[in-house]
Every structure is written in structure tokens, then in C-alpha cells.
Amino acid sequence: MRKLLKNNLFLTIIIPLLAVVLGLLAGAIIMLIGGYDPVLGYTSLFEGMIGSPKAFGETIRAMTPLVLAGIAVAFAYKTGLFNIGVEGQLLVGWLASVWVGYAFDLPKVIHLPLAILAAAAAGALWGFIPGLLKARFKVYEVIVTIMMNYIALYMTSAIIKANLYAGNEKSYNIKETASLASPYLQSITDYSRMHYGIVVALLMAGMMWFLLEKTTKGYELKAVGYNQNASQYAGMSVVKNMVLSMSISGAFAGLAGAMEGLGTFQNMTTLSAFTGTGFDGIAVALLGANHPLGIVLAAFLFGGLKSAAPEMNFVANVPSELVGIIIALIIFFVASSYFVRWLLSRFVKEDQE
């Protein structure tokens, strides 16, 4: 066991798992203190996640943008940057996909890829700006991306009202040729809102892994993140790689917006507050240890928790806000990896005694 505790791969896997268990356990204690039945609460929660074809479809639907938001955060982190602007990049990608989906009359084989690419390009542009400021002028990317979130929020609403407004605080619906909706997937999941975006999300997770682990450019991006001075000495362009890293991260985030615009909603609302998906991507990346497979699994958990929260409230009368507390506790325990290591070491000592 001692050898396992020194194995980084083992710890990378076990710490998120323990964080989930500890988060759920702490949530159960909170339910007991509040006078609720934790067994009934969690039973209804998991029923709402995977207990029926429709519940499973809604979980997949909810996890789809979370996968892309998570890999956007993880990609930047792997290359030494912290992208807090995923929410804003998601919003501009959402708007770009809806605009292309509404404005053009094209065959589906052209229209849908064009709308998806437009979202990626818009997100990449929104990531390019803080990347350039960081690389050229050493402006801290966290501050810039936070400010750009607000610019994206109000700018997208203003553009919708000026150019795409269909009433009821929504844009015009996209054309069917740009839609990711799938009558087949909806029918096998009892008419949930599951769509083909999950295929895009999984492909992008695989692309992130391939780019970072199997390409020369991925090695350069990671090298610049680890040590800029050594990378520059080795002949790598620090400025270009930092800008490219944030642009790719923004493209992933923009695709998360496309999943909402082309898949779930088929339009865009004039939002007065953030969706939260971009910020949830930080939690997904953290729980998934910034690894594509871990991010997919973490997105499934978080997507399920969010989609099943109303079920827990309806069946067990537990406030759906408790799901947010559980997610926060899971993140807390992941961040408190030192505490988890200490807890594991205590168990090892007790076994030896």
C-alpha cells in the first residue's frame, strides 16, 4: 500500500474517487442535520441520473457542454495557463453558431459543420485576445478572461436584440440543416433532449489527448507551460505558443456553446446572468485531473447531478440547491489532496498495527 501511495498514477485516480465519496458522505450528513432522509434523497438523485432512458438521455445532454468546457480549462492548464474565460468563450461560440445556423440556407452536410466551425472560431478569437496580452505584455490572463466574460455576456445579448431578436428574450431558431438534434437518440431515450453533440464532445476529448501527447506542437505547448526560459533557449517561440494555447482552449469552449445553440435549445436567449457551464468546466477539469478520460467521467457525474436535482426535490423534498453544495464539497476534497493523502496514510498505519 505504501508503494501505491507513492505512485502518482494511483493517486491521480484514487483522490478524485475519494473526493466524490467524501462529498456525498458530507452531503448525507447535511441532509440529516436538515431533517431529510439521505437514503431517499440519494436514491431519487441516482434515479434521476440513470434510472430511466429519459434520465440517462438528459444526463448525457447535460454532460456534453461540460466535457468541452472541461477540456478547454484543462488544455490551457496543461500548457501553463489558467483560462477563467471559458464562460465568455462559450457565449460567443453559442451566438456564432446560432447566427450561422439561422442566416444561411445550405445543405446539412455543409451547414452543420460550418455552424460548428463558426463557434470554434469565435471562441478561439475570444481566447486569442487574453493569450496575446499575456504573451506580449505579461498581463495576467485570469484578470483579462474574467473581464471578457462580462463583455461577452452583455455583447451577445445586445447583438441578439439588435439583429436576431424573435421576441420572448430569444433569438430566431436555427434551421434544421444546422441542427444537432437527433430524432433517433430522442426516441430511444424516451424523448429526452439528447443530441449528436455528445459525439463532437468525445471526438474533441480524443483530439485534446492526441494533440498534447502525440504531436510535436503539443510537446512545445507543454514545454512552454513548464518552463518558458528553457523553451526559448531550445528555440521555441514562447509568444506564439502561448497565444496558440489560449486560442485552442477558446475554440473548445466555443464548441461547448455550439452544443447548446445547435443541440439543446436551437436558439440563444438574451442572458442577464452567466449560464455557469464555463465555470463548472473548472470543477470538471479539476475532478478529472485534467485528463480527457477523467474529464468525460467527471462531466457525466456533474451533468447527472445537475439534471437530477429537481427529481431529488420532487421525490424526497430535499432542496435542489443541495446538489450545488455536494458539488462544492467534491471540489473541496479534490483541492484538499493533502488531506486525502493523510487520510490514506492513516489507514495504512492502522492496517500495519
Side-chain angles (χ1 to χ4, degrees):
M1 188 64 181
R2 282 177 176 271
K3 289 182 179 179
L4 285 175
L5 289 177
K6 294 179 180 179
N7 188 309
N8 287 330
L9 179 60
F10 172 76
L11 290 174
T12 299
I13 296 171
I14 200 65
I15 287 176
L17 290 176
L18 279 175
V20 172
V21 172
L22 290 171
L24 293 174
L25 181 61
I29 294 171
I30 293 172
M31 284 191 221
L32 284 171
I33 294 172
Y36 303 105
D37 183 352
V39 175
L40 180 60
Y42 279 138
T43 300
S44 60
L45 184 67
F46 290 119
E47 280 290 319
M49 288 175 63
I50 56 174
S52 67
K54 185 171 184 177
F56 181 76
E58 283 297 318
T59 294
I60 298 298
R61 191 273 310 166
M63 76 172 275
T64 299
L66 287 173
V67 171
L68 290 159
I71 62 176
V73 174
F75 189 91
Y77 184 81
K78 285 270 192 180
T79 55
L81 298 167
F82 199 19
N83 186 5
I84 303 293
V86 171
E87 182 74 18
Q89 294 149 15
L90 179 152
L91 291 175
V92 297
W94 187 344
L95 177 62
S97 67
V98 168
W99 179 75
V100 171
Y102 165 75
F104 294 90
D105 288 305
L106 296 166
K108 192 177 185 76
V109 68
I110 299 174
H111 202 181
L112 179 56
L114 183 64
I116 293 173
L117 288 173
L125 175 62
W126 219 247
F128 170 84
I129 297 169
L132 182 65
L133 292 173
K134 170 73 172 183
R136 285 288 186 187
F137 307 106
K138 308 300 180 186
V139 180
Y140 193 26
E141 73 275 13
V142 171
I143 303 299
V144 179
T145 50
I146 288 173
M147 291 191 296
M148 291 190 69
N149 283 338
Y150 287 94
I151 297 171
L153 175 65
Y154 298 118
M155 184 191 74
T156 52
S157 292
I159 291 174
I160 290 172
K161 288 182 177 179
N163 301 286
L164 296 170
Y165 196 61
N168 199 25
E169 301 302 316
K170 293 181 179 178
S171 73
Y172 294 112
N173 286 342
I174 62 170
K175 293 182 171 65
E176 189 177 344
T177 50
S179 175
L180 283 167
S182 167
Y184 171 71
L185 292 178
Q186 291 171 3
S187 65
I188 64 173
T189 55
D190 197 17
Y191 298 99
S192 72
R193 291 176 293 172
M194 183 178 174
H195 53 79
Y196 285 128
I198 186 62
V199 177
V200 177
L202 295 177
L203 286 174
M204 291 302 104
M207 180 178 289
M208 173 199 166
W209 173 82
F210 181 80
L211 178 59
L212 288 177
E213 303 299 331
K214 298 296 180 179
T215 67
T216 304
K217 179 53 69 175
Y219 176 82
E220 280 191 28
L221 291 170
K222 289 192 294 183
V224 169
Y226 288 136
N227 192 318
Q228 293 182 19
N229 293 328
S231 300
Q232 193 166 21
Y233 182 77
M236 301 175 190
S237 173
V238 172
V239 171
K240 287 182 180 178
N241 281 294
M242 290 181 73
V243 173
L244 180 62
S245 174
M246 282 297 290
S247 298
I248 294 174
S249 176
F252 285 135
L255 289 174
M259 300 304 101
E260 301 288 64
L262 306 179
T264 302
F265 299 107
Q266 308 287 302
N267 56 36
M268 186 175 183
T269 305
T270 56
L271 299 168
S272 59
F274 294 121
T275 66
T277 303
F279 299 117
D280 288 339
I282 300 171
V284 168
L286 184 63
L287 182 61
N290 295 308
H291 189 280
L293 179 58
I295 288 168
V296 170
L297 296 175
F300 180 81
L301 174 65
F302 279 32
L305 289 174
K306 286 182 171 294
S307 66
E311 184 77 10
M312 185 173 70
N313 179 248
F314 179 75
V315 175
N317 201 32
V318 177
S320 56
E321 289 80 7
L322 186 65
V323 170
I325 296 174
I326 293 170
I327 290 173
L329 288 167
I330 290 171
I331 297 168
F332 170 78
F333 286 117
V334 172
S336 304
S337 57
Y338 174 80
F339 169 74
V340 177
R341 291 170 193 249
W342 174 83
L343 196 63
L344 286 170
S345 66
R346 295 297 298 174
F347 277 116
V348 171
K349 286 182 181 179
E350 288 177 8
D351 289 342
Q352 288 178 342
E353 290 172 0

